Amino acid sequence: MNKIILLVLGVLMSSTLVSAQSIKAPKGRIAIVADGNSPDPDDLGGTAITLALLKATALTDRLVHYSHSCDLVRVDRISEAAEKERHAMMQTACDGTARRWGGFEHITFWDAKWQLDQTIKDLSKAINASTADNPLWIIEAGEPDIIGFALDATPKEKHKFVKVITHHPANDDAGDFYKWKQILDFGVEEVRIPDQNTYLKVTESQWDWAKNHPDDRMQFVWLMGKMAEIDNVVKFQKGYWDCSDAGMVLYWITGATNGGLKEGKVEDVKALLHNYLDKKEKK
C-alpha cells in the first residue's frame, strides 16, 4: 500500500513540472542584458542556466543578443581587481556554456562595459529588426543603461515592438544613466514578473543533482553557480546556488505573457535539462 501511495504522489508531483509540451515561446526574438561584474555574482549561475535552457528547448536561434557586465560604473563595494576578475568569469560562463552545449555560433557574447559601443550597436540592430510579427523580448538581468542607450539610438517607431521583462526593482533603478521610468518613456512594453529569488536562489544542496550528474555539460553549469557561492566579495551568496535571473528566460520559454511560468522552481529547470540530456544519451 505504501508503495502505491508513493507512486501516486510521484505522478502528481511530476505532472506539475515543466514538460516538453510546456515549451511555447512567444513569437519574436530574445535579447539578454546581464551584469555580473557588479557586487552580486548571481549572473554566473544565471547565465549558465539561461544558455542551457535555450539549448534544451531548441530556442538558441531565437537569441539575437547577449551581453554581460552591464554595470558601467564600479561601486566601492567591489574593488577594481575583483571587478576585473568578474569580467573574466562572466565571459567564461558565456563562452564555456555556449561551446559545451552548442547552438550559439551565431552569437557574440559582448562585455558591455569593455565593449560598450559594439554592445549598443548589437542590441540596436536587434531593436531595428523588430516588427509586430517579430517583436524583441529584452531580459533585464542587470542595470538598464545598455537598454536605454540602445533605445535612444533607434527609431521611436520600433519601440512599440519591444518588450522588457523584469523581475527585480533593484535592477530597474540601479542604472547610472537611465532609471526605469526613462526606459518606459521610450514606449516599450513592461513585462513584470515576481522576484525570481524566491524559488531559484536556494540552498546549495538542492543542486547536488547537477554537481553529481554524469554529463560534464551539467557539471560545468553547476560549477558556474558554485563560483558565485564561493565569491569573497559578498556574503549573501554563501550556502546558496542562485540562478534567479534565468527565471525570466524560463518564463519566456513557457509562454511569457501567454501563460508563462511566473514562479519557476529548481525542479522546473531540472525537468527541462534532464529531458534534453536523457534524449541525447538514448541516441
Side-chain angles (χ1 to χ4, degrees), residues 37 71 74 78-88 113:
N37 64 317
D71 191 351
R74 181 178 61 82
I78 184 168
S79 68
E80 185 176 355
E83 191 202 9
K84 183 178 179 181
E85 180 182 303
R86 287 280 191 81
H87 282 259
K113 185 173 181 178

Side-chain angles (χ1 to χ4, degrees), residues 199-230:
Y199 298 111
L200 290 175
K201 180 181 179 180
V202 298
T203 55
E204 187 182 2
S205 60
Q206 293 188 47
W207 282 86
D208 282 352
W209 61 272
K211 177 178 66 173
N212 300 321
H213 199 283
D215 194 306
D216 57 12
R217 289 172 294 181
M218 201 64 247
Q219 294 171 25
F220 183 84
V221 167
W222 175 84
L223 183 61
M224 296 301 99
K226 179 62 177 179
M227 286 168 62
E229 193 274 333
I230 62 172

Side-chain angles (χ1 to χ4, degrees), residues 47-48 51-52 55 91-105 107 109 220:
T47 289
L51 298 179
K55 176 61 176 181
Q91 196 67 48
T92 295
C94 291
D95 293 336
T97 309
R99 181 182 68 79
R100 285 166 173 80
W101 288 74
F104 299 94
E105 293 77 14
I107 288 289
F109 294 95
F220 183 84

Side-chain angles (χ1 to χ4, degrees), residues 29 66 69 78 80 157 167 184 206 232 249 278 280:
R29 299 147 298 128
Y66 204 114
S69 302
I78 184 168
E80 185 176 355
E157 57 266 25
H167 81 107
L184 297 183
Q206 293 188 47
N232 68 349
V249 177
D278 288 348
K280 296 292 285 185

